[in-house]
Amino acid sequence: MIQDLPAAKVHLYCVEGDALGRLVLSALLAVSLVSATGSPSSAATACAVTDTMVAVSNYWVEHGTDLDANNWQNATYHIGNLAVVRTTGVSNHRTLPWAEANKYQLPGQDFRAANFTSGEAYEDLAFFHPDPAHLQPLRDRVTAQISAGQLSTWNTPMDVLLAMPAYVRLNTPEVSAAAFRLFDRVSRLFDARTGLWWQDWRFVGSPVYWSQANASALAGLVKVVLALPANDPHRASYVDLVRRTATALKGLQRPDGSWGIDLTHPSPFGAESNGTALITYAFGAGANNGLLDSTYAAAAQRGWTWLTTKALQPTGKLGHVQIPGATPWDNWPINPSTTAAFAVGNFLIAGQQIAHLTPSCTTP
């Protein structure tokens, strides 16, 4: 049932000017795109992974809260929702109206990382609706930040996920260099001894490593590596961090396939679905694109098994989500029914990668 694997071989993430990728995907969608209430082509192979993705995405749009807001939480959902379209050819027709209602603007007026996640969603949407004007507000905000010299505004590993992919996908040397400078501050939170990331400066030197912080750093860097051209001067350093972080996280995967809220103290706090989804995505994307070896594909499959058998309810609701906070202990204990737009989106990008790793999900 998976439809985007050929296009993914051209380029998994659409970069401006990737006309070939759009052409290939357009040809695929011309023969496969159906509505969310329609039926996939009878020629498609049944795929439980993509069936689950469609169900989870549609559950959120039917039961989620604050769906119209232009914020990082909804933008993350829409990034995942477009992963469903790329993977299945099934659309629930929610992302384009959301972007149009936003007039493709970024939220806020400042340079906080969370304001740039909407830009990544617009970049994904440009894969289907390529109009340079739609990305102009993102370009303008990035240009304004560079011109103002405000290149120390990323402060936590989560900022790597929220802003860095949108930056580097603009695909200019100047923007890539600015992203590297913005990342430099966050990179000091990497603990070279353990291969893990501290959440912020309060935790430096401590044994506390939050799963969401580490998952955000790893997933954000994987997205960045996949978007950058091979000759980018900073790509090799990002690849090195991806591999060192992935090595550490693989060793901390719990027997059930999940990752604990506090990675090195898993028992008191238990597992959490957003961090697990992001690590599952990163391991799957790394294995699918040659950044990580096949052992990470197996670890990603175990993560997906936990997500779909423990965190996911039969209704399509994704639970066990730790909502945003400032420490690993905020909003704990986790309620099995607690959900959020950003976690749904990250579950969906994980599913896209798992579908690529699942033989029954690929077309002949």
Side-chain angles (χ1 to χ4, degrees):
M1 186 173 181
I2 182 170
Q3 300 293 340
D4 81 329
L5 188 56
K9 293 300 185 181
V10 175
H11 206 297
L12 184 59
Y13 294 96
C14 177
V15 177
E16 289 191 55
D18 185 8
L20 179 58
R22 289 195 295 268
L23 179 62
V24 172
L25 186 59
S26 297
L28 288 168
L29 293 179
V31 297
S32 67
L33 189 60
V34 295
S35 71
T37 58
S39 300
S41 166
S42 60
T45 303
C47 175
V49 176
T50 53
D51 290 347
T52 298
M53 292 170 66
V54 171
V56 170
S57 187
N58 288 341
Y59 180 91
W60 178 255
V61 299
E62 292 168 8
H63 302 282
T65 58
D66 196 25
L67 300 179
D68 295 333
N70 185 8
N71 56 33
W72 71 267
Q73 294 98 325
N74 282 337
T76 301
Y77 163 73
H78 285 292
I79 292 166
N81 193 42
L82 291 174
V84 176
V85 182
R86 288 199 300 269
T87 308
T88 68
V90 176
S91 175
N92 58 20
H93 309 294
R94 294 303 183 105
T95 297
L96 180 60
W98 175 79
E100 290 177 336
N102 296 340
K103 298 181 180 178
Y104 293 89
Q105 297 294 317
L106 275 60
Q109 300 296 322
D110 56 36
F111 304 129
R112 285 178 293 180
N115 291 337
F116 289 87
T117 316
S118 294
E120 183 184 353
Y122 304 150
E123 288 170 327
D124 279 348
L125 195 57
F127 204 82
F128 304 98
H129 304 280
D131 183 341
H134 293 167
L135 298 183
Q136 195 58 49
L138 171 61
R139 294 190 202 94
D140 290 344
R141 186 73 64 88
V142 168
T143 298
Q145 183 167 12
I146 295 171
S147 298
Q150 299 293 316
L151 300 179
S152 59
T153 56
W154 298 353
N155 298 301
T156 72
M158 183 170 283
D159 292 343
V160 177
L161 179 65
L162 294 177
M164 200 169 180
Y167 249 75
V168 301
R169 287 172 60 182
L170 291 177
N171 197 27
T172 72
E174 180 186 22
V175 172
S176 175
F180 183 75
R181 287 185 60 188
L182 282 156
F183 175 70
D184 179 67
R185 179 175 173 82
V186 181
S187 70
R188 299 172 198 175
L189 295 170
F190 179 71
D191 181 2
R193 180 181 58 87
T194 63
L196 298 172
W197 297 75
W198 289 296
Q199 161 64 12
D200 56 44
W201 308 106
R202 296 171 299 169
F203 294 97
V204 171
S206 80
V208 177
Y209 304 97
W210 194 0
S211 66
Q212 292 210 38
N214 282 268
S216 295
L218 179 62
L221 286 171
V222 167
K223 288 186 177 188
V224 165
V225 168
L226 294 179
L228 284 173
N231 63 351
D232 183 89
H234 310 299
R235 188 177 185 276
S237 65
Y238 300 144
V239 170
D240 178 63
L241 285 171
V242 164
R243 291 174 175 162
R244 294 167 73 182
T245 304
T247 297
L249 289 173
K250 183 155 70 96
L252 293 169
Q253 188 173 27
R254 292 154 59 106
D256 63 4
S258 66
W259 279 269
I261 294 173
D262 185 342
L263 289 166
T264 55
H265 304 90
S267 297
F269 300 103
E272 193 274 329
S273 57
N274 184 56
T276 296
L278 282 170
I279 298 169
T280 298
Y281 157 78
F283 281 13
N288 280 321
N289 291 277
L291 296 175
L292 302 172
D293 65 42
S294 61
T295 63
Y296 291 91
Q301 292 280 14
R302 292 194 296 274
W304 183 252
T305 295
W306 181 85
L307 287 166
T308 54
T309 61
K310 300 298 183 182
L312 185 62
Q313 300 179 9
T315 58
K317 181 178 184 178
L318 179 70
H320 289 278
V321 176
Q322 185 180 27
I323 60 177
T327 75
W329 310 287
D330 289 347
N331 305 309
W332 181 87
I334 291 175
N335 188 319
S337 65
T338 301
T339 192
F342 63 89
V344 173
N346 292 329
F347 174 91
L348 297 174
I349 63 171
Q352 181 185 31
Q353 299 303 323
I354 295 299
H356 290 325
L357 292 171
T358 305
S360 64
C361 293
T362 58
T363 55

